[in-house]
Amino acid sequence: MAEVNYMKRCLEIAQRGKGFTAPNPMVGAMLVYNDRIIAEGWHHKYGEAHAEVDCLNNVTDGDRHLIPDCTMYVTLEPCAHQGKTPPCAHRLVQEGIKHVVIANADPFEQVNGRGVQILRDAGVNVEEGLCDDEGKWVNRRFFCYHRQHRPYIILKWAQSSDGYIAPADRSRAQLTNDHCMRLVHKWRTEESAIIVGATTAINDNPQLTARHWEGKQPLRIVLDRRMTLPTTHAIFNGEATSWIVNETIEKTMGSIRFVKAPFGDSLLEAILEKLYEENILSLIVEGGAQLLNSFIQAGLWDEARVFTAETTLGQGIAGPLLQHGNKAFSTMLGSDSLNVFINTNSHYPYAAGMQL
């Protein structure tokens, strides 16, 4: 039971890096000596020290002599390759650590078992699979990217109590309360990209930025087949990198990239392929209804986050019809509700009790 609690703590601190580690995973680590935690660490930011090294760096001078007799708990297999930082598996061997407990094997092809093999070849006792489901949930974006070769896809929309996402005249309407709005902006800092259709971009003129939460701005994507979006709209304001996906032009102008894509049945797959090539681990689909339904009908979604407001519209544009969704959990946000669904075909089901 103590081992499970140690690993759950590692998973908890791993998520302190949410929004900053991509395209790397979120990883937490801990050193334990005779049931005493002597240090913790996590991967703070892409390009900086990995969790194992951060943990070792946090050991006090008075405890450094204990390191070889400690057990290291780490949420993901220590890396075995030279990237932005040296291989963590070699560092653990150099430190003389004799026992390592891992939640998940690393799906990245340059690691994927090699880190564990380096440890075992050096005589380190390695245990794998502790809190495996919880670890895969925390790093579901990373696992999806490397195993499905596409970003992890999150659908998000808000609807009225009677199931409409907008008035019939398509005018912009704030259905949910300010708490929900701030939560959405927090989510934007945690994901790599966000996408909307041309109709939504033209009618709502969304900024698609995280103005009400501190953090990284996502890549903004608009599907604009015939380039009808006015250049005075917010997507062109330079506050974040933007893609204008169209069928004729491929060029870059400052923070704006015009991306040529084959509009038609293969459009979504083509966009996901381009995002994969650009190391984009996750994508929020924010609307409108036609684009959301397109992802649903294609089965190209992993998670859906649906706000339901107490507001009633009476008539309007119907909300998307979610198919093959299992409800993971529900919560109230003031007078509004949030329901989270997981695709029944997902490789990364929700682990009970874990945060988004």
Side-chain angles (χ1 to χ4, degrees):
M1 188 62 189
E3 284 201 329
V4 170
N5 289 334
Y6 290 146
M7 189 61 77
K8 286 187 175 180
R9 172 60 180 169
C10 289
L11 290 165
E12 179 184 335
I13 61 177
Q15 293 174 87
R16 295 177 183 177
K18 187 178 292 183
F20 296 98
T21 64
N24 281 355
M26 294 177 282
V27 183
M30 174 188 294
L31 278 170
V32 179
Y33 174 79
N34 285 349
D35 294 324
R36 178 168 72 89
I37 300 170
I38 70 167
E40 296 178 335
W42 72 95
H43 186 30
H44 292 240
K45 186 178 180 181
Y46 176 69
E48 295 184 358
H50 288 187
E52 302 93 320
V53 174
D54 187 54
C55 180
L56 288 163
N57 290 343
N58 290 333
V59 178
T60 64
D61 290 341
D63 283 339
R64 293 207 65 83
H65 69 284
L66 300 175
I67 291 176
D69 296 314
C70 287
T71 295
M72 171 162 277
Y73 294 85
V74 60
T75 59
L76 195 70
E77 176 182 5
C79 65
H81 66 295
Q82 177 70 48
K84 293 284 186 180
T85 60
C88 293
H90 289 304
R91 174 66 184 274
L92 299 187
V93 171
Q94 291 167 6
E95 293 284 350
I97 295 172
K98 301 177 181 64
H99 189 197
V100 177
V101 181
I102 299 167
N104 305 123
D106 192 329
F108 182 40
E109 63 180 2
Q110 292 188 45
V111 182
N112 198 8
R114 293 180 176 88
V116 167
Q117 194 61 50
I118 288 171
L119 295 175
R120 286 181 172 152
D121 287 347
V124 179
N125 178 30
V126 181
E127 296 180 42
E128 300 180 76
L130 184 63
C131 299
D132 182 76
D133 288 344
E134 292 88 344
K136 286 177 179 173
W137 172 256
V138 167
N139 275 316
R140 58 198 184 278
R141 301 160 182 85
F142 184 74
F143 276 87
C144 182
Y145 178 85
H146 286 286
R147 289 184 173 173
Q148 275 64 58
H149 302 288
R150 64 163 174 80
Y152 184 85
I153 300 169
I154 300 169
L155 311 180
K156 192 283 294 181
W157 73 88
Q159 60 189 22
S160 63
S161 60
D162 49 353
Y164 298 105
I165 65 171
D169 62 1
R170 297 184 180 273
S171 59
R172 184 167 187 171
Q174 179 68 38
L175 297 176
T176 53
N177 58 41
D178 288 345
H179 185 82
C180 296
M181 179 187 67
R182 287 193 295 273
L183 181 57
V184 168
H185 284 236
K186 176 179 182 291
W187 289 344
R188 288 176 179 175
T189 68
E190 296 170 352
E191 309 305 337
S192 302
I194 183 170
I195 188 170
V196 297
T199 300
T200 296
I202 292 171
N203 292 336
D204 293 354
N205 189 18
Q207 296 184 57
L208 303 182
T209 57
R211 303 177 301 285
H212 302 290
W213 200 270
E214 185 177 353
K216 293 176 63 177
Q217 300 293 349
L219 167 67
R220 304 181 293 186
I221 305 171
V222 175
L223 301 184
D224 189 12
R225 183 174 189 170
R226 296 181 178 85
M227 307 267 296
T228 56
L229 186 64
T231 56
T232 53
H233 270 35
I235 199 72
F236 294 100
N237 62 18
E239 293 181 4
T241 302
S242 302
W243 285 11
I244 310 299
V245 180
N246 66 95
E247 65 179 356
T248 57
I249 298 174
E250 182 79 43
K251 68 176 181 179
T252 300
M253 298 174 59
S255 64
I256 308 298
R257 178 177 170 183
F258 295 89
V259 178
K260 186 177 179 180
F263 278 73
D265 293 341
S266 62
L267 175 61
L268 298 185
E269 288 83 357
I271 293 171
L272 295 178
E273 183 177 348
K274 288 181 181 292
L275 291 173
Y276 176 77
E277 292 170 354
E278 297 286 335
N279 292 324
I280 300 297
L281 264 61
S282 60
L283 174 69
I284 304 177
V285 185
E286 284 214 4
Q290 182 177 348
L291 182 61
L292 285 160
N293 279 319
S294 295
F295 274 90
I296 292 170
Q297 290 162 11
L300 291 171
W301 69 280
D302 299 285
E303 185 177 328
R305 303 175 181 179
V306 184
F307 293 101
T308 301
E310 63 173 351
T311 306
T312 300
L313 290 180
Q315 60 179 350
I317 300 171
L321 181 61
L322 197 62
Q323 301 172 14
H324 308 296
N326 279 337
K327 184 183 288 188
F329 66 87
S330 302
T331 190
M332 294 301 297
L333 300 167
S335 57
D336 300 333
S337 66
L338 169 64
N339 291 288
V340 177
F341 301 86
I342 305 299
N343 193 322
T344 55
N345 297 317
S346 174
H347 297 266
Y348 317 104
Y350 174 67
M354 301 297 289
Q355 65 185 59
L356 286 181

